[in-house]
Amino acid sequence: MSEKELQYSKPSLQGTITIPGDKSVSHRSVMFGSIATGRTTVSGFLLGEDCLSTIDCFRKLGVEIEVDGTNVTINSAGIDAWQEPTEVLYTGNSGTTTRLMLGILAGSSVHTVMTGDASIGKRPMRRVIDPLRQMGAHITGRADGQYTPLAIQGTTLQAIDYQMPVASAQVKSAILLAGLRAEGTTIVRETEVSRDHTERMLRQFGAQVDVADGVVSFKGGQTLTGTHVSVPGDISSAAFFLAAGAICRDSDIVLENVGVNPTRDGMIEVLQNMNAAMTMERENDGGAEPTATIRIQTSTLKGTTIEGAIIPRLIDEIPIIALLATQANGKTIIKDAEELKVKETDRITAVVDELKKLGANIEATDDGMIIEGPTPLHGANLKTYGDHRIGMMGAVAALITDGAVTLDDADCIAVSYPEFFEHIEVVKK
Ligand code: S3P
């Protein structure tokens, strides 16, 4: 944990950044490559700590994984060839690793024990384990499986027809991955559509998945075959520079390789609704995940309301959207976002408390927050709560504050964006 003082003196931002790989897609590329038979090659992999945790877990299961820069090669003889690990699988800070691995391991033929860091130890796991138990999974853990450490004895599973109680791609993906090994057709019903990287990647690895009107159906017993995965840039990382470009003076930046999957692009819609000076050129590369180049310039922003079905499409962007709203004219209301309370930290409390320290006019509500802008921000000592996205929100704020911002722990940013501070130096003028 290292403290970092940020004294940027209100720079202008100019230039181009290539956005590093998407965290969700990077995790899944290693998971799918390990389940599949044959060789999988991945380009544009995110070398964030969360994704490295995923690689480490599969190596402990005996899968051969080589990392060469952002290229990863996975050689697997398939899920039935995995070895029972002699060590605990350590998932670090990664909810995606922990929850998706539960679904994968439940239908494997090995016994595993899984644990993570202090933040993971507080995050609810029953949302995944309850449906997996309905499928026949043998999972035990602290507080009857609500918290890590968890022990999973792989077994034969039966398909379920599951109505999702919350919009969560991690829960949906865990069920679908368990469904791969289950007898019968697994059906997951979503009221609000969450990110669909799992469905897209299942198809890429040769499986047939049907999706219609928020209902995903997937026949068990299908086998996956190794393939190539090209990881798009992470829109959740790009979001910090989209916000920075809009709120810093005299700025004009270009972000290349931004993943714009329609289940992830809520931030783009919000920027448009807030009147941001933004243009976007979609690339037509025919890959499984669409990408775009986005240009953003200093903007005169207006407040907006963010609620309902858009929330899962921008759930990880809410901390930086809150900062953006402090610089917009009028009121921004964020509702229906109670899921923020069970992220890496309680992001409603963390965002509101830290932005208040900088002078923002922001109040927490039961399911979100209300921000009144614009307010000039001043320096302060901020806490990150070990949460990468709270850390990056503080660092972007430091670009517009009078006086220095100090982060108590800047290291946590490496969870999703190890090059973040280097990229600030690239565009800062
Ligand atoms: C993720 C899904 C989201 C998101 C997380 C990554 C994924 O979580 O917040 O950062 O890769 O499936 P939930 O599924 O819990 O909403």
Side-chain angles (χ1 to χ4, degrees):
M1 184 162 148
S2 75
E3 191 179 278
K4 193 170 176 89
E5 193 195 54
L6 302 167
Q7 175 75 268
Y8 286 130
S9 308
K10 300 190 180 179
S12 133
L13 305 183
Q14 309 282 334
T16 301
I17 300 170
T18 302
I19 298 299
D22 185 277
K23 182 156 77 69
S24 294
V25 176
S26 295
H27 280 303
R28 286 163 173 80
S29 68
V30 170
M31 293 174 179
F32 281 71
S34 299
I35 296 169
T37 306
R39 182 181 154 95
T40 292
T41 52
V42 185
S43 58
F45 188 81
L46 172 68
L47 295 164
E49 283 168 6
D50 269 11
C51 301
L52 298 178
S53 295
T54 296
I55 290 184
D56 190 52
C57 288
F58 282 98
R59 281 186 174 149
K60 285 187 177 143
L61 286 156
V63 179
E64 197 189 298
I65 304 174
E66 274 169 41
V67 181
D68 178 11
T70 59
N71 293 318
V72 176
T73 306
I74 304 142
N75 279 303
S76 178
I79 187 166
D80 288 314
W82 292 356
Q83 295 156 16
E84 211 155 43
T86 52
E87 290 171 70
V88 169
L89 303 183
Y90 183 68
T91 60
N93 191 244
S94 177
T96 306
T97 312
T98 312
R99 296 204 177 108
L100 270 60
M101 297 258 340
L102 281 168
I104 296 169
L105 293 165
S108 74
S109 50
V110 294
H111 175 269
T112 43
V113 179
M114 199 160 51
T115 199
D117 70 4
S119 157
I120 280 294
K122 293 185 203 139
R123 298 184 67 184
M125 296 298 154
R126 284 288 295 271
R127 52 175 57 200
V128 178
I129 291 171
D130 286 350
L132 293 178
R133 281 180 176 159
Q134 286 176 34
M135 298 174 83
H138 295 317
I139 303 172
T140 55
R142 190 161 54 96
D144 193 21
Q146 179 67 316
Y147 302 114
T148 55
L150 298 161
I152 306 110
Q153 175 60 63
T155 189
T156 310
L157 303 175
Q158 282 79 47
I160 46 166
D161 183 336
Y162 193 68
Q163 173 65 50
M164 295 278 294
V166 285
S168 165
Q170 292 178 354
V171 176
K172 172 176 65 175
S173 302
I175 297 170
L176 292 175
L177 287 163
L180 190 60
R181 304 281 289 176
E183 288 164 8
T185 298
T186 293
I187 298 173
V188 180
R189 298 172 193 274
E190 292 190 289
T191 311
E192 276 161 6
V193 175
S194 63
R195 64 190 69 189
D196 67 353
H197 305 301
T198 296
E199 296 88 311
R200 286 172 189 252
M201 209 179 279
L202 279 168
R203 292 198 190 105
Q204 239 184 312
F205 278 79
Q208 197 196 320
V209 189
D210 296 315
V211 184
D213 300 328
V215 181
V216 187
S217 322
F218 179 49
K219 200 160 173 281
Q222 302 189 59
T223 49
L224 303 184
T225 310
T227 186
H228 178 71
V229 179
S230 169
V231 180
D234 199 327
I235 192 167
S236 299
S237 298
F240 293 96
F241 284 96
L242 289 171
I247 63 178
C248 287
R249 69 171 175 89
D250 307 321
S251 295
D252 185 354
I253 55 175
V254 173
L255 308 178
E256 291 177 337
N257 187 40
V258 184
V260 285
N261 176 316
T263 61
R264 290 284 299 282
D265 66 354
M267 174 81 179
I268 306 280
E269 200 174 309
V270 165
L271 282 163
Q272 281 162 346
N273 291 343
M274 294 178 87
N275 264 352
M278 180 182 65
T279 54
M280 184 163 131
E281 228 172 274
R282 290 179 189 270
E283 272 106 41
N284 195 5
D285 63 358
E289 296 279 349
T291 56
T293 296
I294 305 179
R295 177 179 179 194
I296 186 120
Q297 292 167 278
T298 307
S299 306
T300 306
L301 300 169
K302 65 174 168 84
T304 186
T305 296
I306 304 168
E307 62 184 326
I310 198 172
I311 295 293
R313 289 171 49 220
L314 49 66
I315 189 71
D316 293 338
E317 286 64 84
I318 291 177
I320 191 64
I321 289 173
L323 171 65
L324 198 61
T326 69
Q327 302 309 301
N329 291 301
K331 199 177 265 191
T332 293
I333 302 170
I334 302 173
K335 296 193 232 185
D336 304 322
E338 46 279 270
E339 274 295 298
L340 290 175
K341 294 179 184 167
V342 291
K343 293 295 173 189
E344 284 80 334
T345 188
D346 174 347
R347 285 187 179 156
I348 294 182
T349 306
V351 166
V352 171
D353 287 359
E354 301 316 298
L355 289 181
K356 265 189 184 163
K357 287 182 194 165
L358 298 169
N361 186 351
I362 179 168
E363 292 303 330
T365 61
D366 281 349
D367 64 349
M369 54 197 85
I370 300 174
I371 304 123
E372 185 86 49
T375 18
L377 301 182
H378 53 73
N381 292 331
L382 300 186
K383 272 174 71 175
T384 65
Y385 308 81
D387 182 332
H388 52 132
R389 300 201 200 280
I390 303 296
M392 288 187 276
M393 176 193 79
V396 173
L399 294 166
I400 59 163
T401 49
D402 279 313
V405 168
T406 301
L407 302 179
D408 67 339
D409 169 20
D411 293 345
C412 62
I413 291 171
V415 156
S416 66
Y417 201 162
E419 311 86 335
F420 176 71
F421 287 111
E422 280 164 47
H423 283 180
I424 288 188
E425 292 307 315
V426 168
V427 289
K428 184 168 72 66
K429 299 292 173 261

